DNA sequence: CTAGGGTTAG
C-alpha cells in the first residue's frame, strides 16, 4: 500500500513524476487518498500547480488532509486568493476542517491583507476548540501582528497557555515590524527571564531590532551571544543580518570585518554589505562592492539592485547604473542565501563574558 | 492519524 511512497522521493523532475503518476493510475493506487495527496504535494513542489489541481479535482471525495495539502500548495506559490477561496469551498461543501488547514488560510489572508476574513477564521477556530492549539494560535498571532493589530496579537499572546520560542518570536517580530523595536526587545527580555533559550531565528529579529535602535553595545552582545551559541556557522542569512546590524549601529568597520572574513559570500551577504555602505553614504564603496560581486559571479537580487542603484544615483555614476540595469529585477525569484560560514568565530575576539553579562541584565538601548 | 506556527531586504 505505502510501498510506492519512496518512489515520490526519487522523482527529481516533472517528467519522472508524471511517469509515476501514470503508473499510479494504471495500478489503481490513485483511488486511495494517500497516493493522490502525495501526488498533489509533489506536483506543487515542482511548480506544476495545474497538475496538482487536476489530481484534486478528479478525486471523488477529498478528505480534510487533501484539502489542506492543496491549500498549502497554492500558498507556496503565493496564490493567496485561491487559498481563501478553497477555504470557503470547504465550508460550502461542509467538509471537516482539520487543524492543519488553519495555518495555511491564515497566512493567505495576511498575504492579501484581509483582516476581515482573518477575524472570521478566528471565530471558527474558537468555536471548534482549536484555540488551545499552540501552532494555530501562533498563526493567528502572526496575522494580527502582520496586519498591524498589535493589541490583538498581544492579547492572544498573553492568553496563550504554552509559550515556546516560536510564538515568542512571532510576538517579538510583530513589535519590530511595526516600528516598535524597543518594545520588541523588552518582550525578548521577558522571554529570556522565563528561561526560554533563543534560537537563531529569533536572533535574526533581535539583530533587526538592534539595527533599528542603533545600539552598538547591544550589537556586540548579540554578536557575542551568537558566537557562544554557535549561530554564526552554517548560516549565511544570520551573518548578513549582523553585517547590516553593525553598519546601523555606527560600526561599519565591524560590518566589513564580518563580511571580509566570510569564506563563502552569498547573495545576501553581498547585499548586506552593499546596503550597509549605501546607508552610510559610502556610495563609491557600495558600487565597488557590487562590481566585486559581479566578478565573483554571485547573482544579485532585487534588494541588491535597490541599494546599488541608490548609490549610483548619488554618485551620478551612470556607467555603473546602466551596468546594473542589465539585470532583470523581476526574474530574481526567491532570495535564498546559499553562503555558509564555517570558520571558527574567534576572529572577532569578542569578550563573551562581557556580552553575557549584558545579556543577563537589561538590554542597553 | 498525517502537518500546520516565528525570518528578510534595508
Amino acid at each position: 500500500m505505502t510501498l510506492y511512497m519512496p518512489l515520490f522521493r526519487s522523482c527529481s523532475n516533472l517528467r519522472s513524476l508524471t511517469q509515476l503518476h501514470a503508473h499510479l493510475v494504471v495500478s489503481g493506487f490513485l483511488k486511495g487518498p494517500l497516493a493522490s495527496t502525495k501526488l498533489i504535494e509533489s506536483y506543487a513542489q515542482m511548480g506544476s500547480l495545474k497538475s496538482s489541481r487536476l489530481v484534486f479535482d478528479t478525486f471523488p471525495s477529498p478528505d480534510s488532509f487533501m484539502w489542506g495539502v492543496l491549500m498549502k500548495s497554492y500558498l507556496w506559490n503565493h496564490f493567496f486568493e485561491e487559498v481563501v477561496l478553497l477555504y470557503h469551498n470547504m465550508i460550502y461543501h461542509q467538509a471537516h476542517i482539520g487543524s492543519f488547514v488553519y495555518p495555511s488560510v491564515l497566512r493567505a489572508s495576511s498575504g492579501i491583507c484581509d483582516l476581515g476574513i482573518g477575524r472570521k477564521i478566528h471565530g471558527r477556530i474558537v468555536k471548534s476548540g482549536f484555540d488551545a492549539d499552540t501552532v494555530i494560535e501562533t498563526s493567528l498571532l502572526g496575522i494580527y501582528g502582520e496586519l498591524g493589530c498589535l493589541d490583538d496579537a498581544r492579547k492572544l499572546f498573553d492568553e496563550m497557555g504554552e509559550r515556546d520560542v516560536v510564538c515568542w518570536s512571532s510576538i517579538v517580530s510583530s513589535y519590530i515590524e511595526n516600528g516598535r523595536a524597543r518594545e520588541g526587545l523588552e518582550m525578548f527580555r521577558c522571554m529570556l527571564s522565563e528561561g526560554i533559550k533563543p534560537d537563531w531565528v529569533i536572533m535574526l529579529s533581535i539583530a533587526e531590532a538592534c539595527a533599528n535602535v542603533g545600539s552598538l553595545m547591544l550589537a556586540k552582545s548579540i554578536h557575542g551571544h551568537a558566537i557562544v551559541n554557535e549561530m554564526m556557522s552554517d548560516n549565511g542569512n544570520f551573518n548578513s543580518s549582523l553585517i547590516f546590524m553593525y553598519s546601523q549601529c555606527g560600526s561599519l568597520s565591524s560590518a566589513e570585518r564580518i563580511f571580509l572574513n566570510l569564506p563563502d559570500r552569498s547573495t545576501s551577504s553581498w547585499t548586506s554589505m552593499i546596503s550597509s555602505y549605501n546607508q552610510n553614504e559610502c556610495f563609491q564603496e557600495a558600487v565597488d562592492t557590487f562590481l566585486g560581486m559581479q566578478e565573483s559571479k554571485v547573482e544579485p537580487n532585487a534588494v541588491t539592485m535597490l541599494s546599488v542603484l541608490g548609490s549610483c544615483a548619488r554618485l551620478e555614476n551612470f556607467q555603473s547604473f546602466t551596468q546594473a540595469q542589465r539585470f532583470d529585477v523581476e526574474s530574481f525569484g526567491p532570495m535564498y542565501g546559499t553562503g555558509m560560514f564555517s570558520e571558527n568565530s574567534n576572529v572577532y575576539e569578542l569578550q563573551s563574558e562581557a556580552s553575557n553579562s549584558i545579556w543577563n541584565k537589561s538590554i542597553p538601548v
Side-chain angles (χ1 to χ4, degrees):
Chain A
M1 172 62 174
T2 50
L3 279 176
Y4 53 79
M5 279 306 176
L7 288 176
F8 278 101
R9 237 171 299 149
S10 68
C11 289
S12 54
N13 54 40
L14 206 55
R15 211 178 112 83
S16 51
L17 186 62
T18 314
Q19 280 169 343
L20 177 60
H21 185 178
H23 180 74
L24 290 169
V25 171
V26 173
S27 59
F29 277 131
L30 267 201
K31 292 201 175 74
L34 237 70
S36 292
T37 307
K38 191 70 194 161
L39 199 55
I40 290 169
E41 191 177 32
S42 306
Y43 271 130
Q45 277 163 346
M46 293 188 187
S48 183
L49 258 181
K50 277 203 175 108
S51 309
S52 300
R53 191 54 187 258
L54 198 71
V55 176
F56 180 84
D57 284 340
T58 48
F59 196 84
S61 52
D63 59 9
S64 172
F65 191 54
M66 200 183 286
W67 279 97
V69 167
L70 186 66
M71 289 162 87
K72 200 175 65 178
S73 304
Y74 278 109
L75 190 67
W76 281 340
N77 291 277
H78 295 258
F79 290 119
F80 303 127
E81 293 90 347
E82 191 60 38
V83 180
V84 175
L85 207 62
L86 280 168
Y87 172 74
H88 283 133
N89 273 340
M90 283 189 88
I91 294 172
Y92 179 76
H93 289 291
Q94 293 181 317
H96 164 71
I97 302 181
S99 62
F100 54 88
V101 165
Y102 288 111
S104 294
V105 69
L106 284 170
R107 188 168 251 279
S109 22
S110 77
I112 52 176
C113 300
D114 192 334
L115 187 62
I117 175 75
R119 290 202 191 276
K120 279 189 191 139
I121 297 167
H122 188 172
R124 194 171 277 269
I125 287 170
V126 173
K127 249 197 286 181
S128 38
F130 284 129
D131 53 339
D133 187 318
T134 312
V135 175
I136 293 178
E137 287 290 272
T138 307
S139 297
L140 254 179
L141 201 168
I143 175 180
Y144 283 129
E146 226 166 292
L147 298 182
C149 308
L150 268 177
D151 293 343
D152 296 81
R154 181 58 187 272
K155 191 163 178 283
L156 266 173
F157 178 81
D158 286 341
E159 288 166 359
M160 276 176 80
E162 183 197 338
R163 294 182 204 140
D164 57 12
V165 68
V166 180
C167 75
W168 275 103
S169 173
S170 184
I171 191 71
V172 165
S173 71
S174 293
Y175 276 108
I176 299 164
E177 290 308 304
N178 284 285
R180 292 160 67 168
R182 276 165 209 278
E183 285 158 278
L185 289 170
E186 190 52 41
M187 287 300 278
F188 178 62
R189 212 167 59 82
C190 292
M191 184 191 96
L192 293 177
S193 69
E194 285 194 12
I196 310 245
K197 201 175 176 300
D199 63 3
W200 74 269
V201 178
I202 193 165
M203 291 310 291
L204 218 53
S205 296
I206 297 307
E208 176 78 24
C210 177
N212 289 350
V213 300
S215 159
L216 185 57
M217 184 141 72
L218 178 58
K220 282 181 178 166
S221 73
I222 288 169
H223 190 184
H225 182 270
I227 291 172
V228 171
N229 292 280
E230 292 172 335
M231 291 173 179
M232 305 291 291
S233 58
D234 238 34
N235 198 330
N237 283 345
F238 191 72
N239 289 302
S240 308
S241 294
L242 290 194
I243 290 172
F244 189 69
M245 172 187 78
Y246 269 127
S247 80
Q248 294 297 94
C249 296
S251 183
L252 196 56
S253 58
S254 301
E256 284 172 325
R257 206 141 53 135
I258 293 181
F259 178 75
L260 291 173
N261 279 307
L262 291 176
D264 192 13
R265 285 166 210 149
S266 64
T267 297
S268 68
S269 33
W270 281 102
T271 305
S272 239
M273 197 64 242
I274 292 168
S275 58
S276 295
Y277 282 131
N278 187 46
Q279 296 269 319
N280 282 273
E281 308 199 341
C282 301
F283 305 118
Q284 189 59 54
E285 284 83 349
V287 172
D288 290 344
T289 307
F290 177 72
L291 295 177
M293 182 182 187
Q294 278 185 281
E295 261 170 49
S296 310
K297 303 258 184 289
V298 179
E299 285 291 310
N301 63 30
V303 185
T304 324
M305 305 318 287
L306 207 64
S307 293
V308 75
L309 288 175
S311 290
C312 289
R314 296 294 292 271
L315 284 170
E316 297 187 19
N317 181 339
F318 291 109
Q319 199 188 345
S320 298
F321 182 79
T322 41
Q323 216 166 350
Q325 267 187 329
R326 286 209 316 269
F327 293 91
D328 177 11
V329 175
E330 293 295 315
S331 72
F332 286 134
M335 304 167 186
Y336 293 129
T338 48
M340 297 294 159
F341 183 58
S342 52
E343 205 136 20
N344 58 23
S345 309
N346 316 351
V347 217
Y348 313 113
E349 292 297 333
L350 278 184
Q351 299 106 326
S352 55
E353 348 49 86
S355 317
N356 279 332
S357 70
I358 292 165
W359 218 245
N360 297 328
K361 287 183 227 145
S362 65
I363 288 168
V365 281

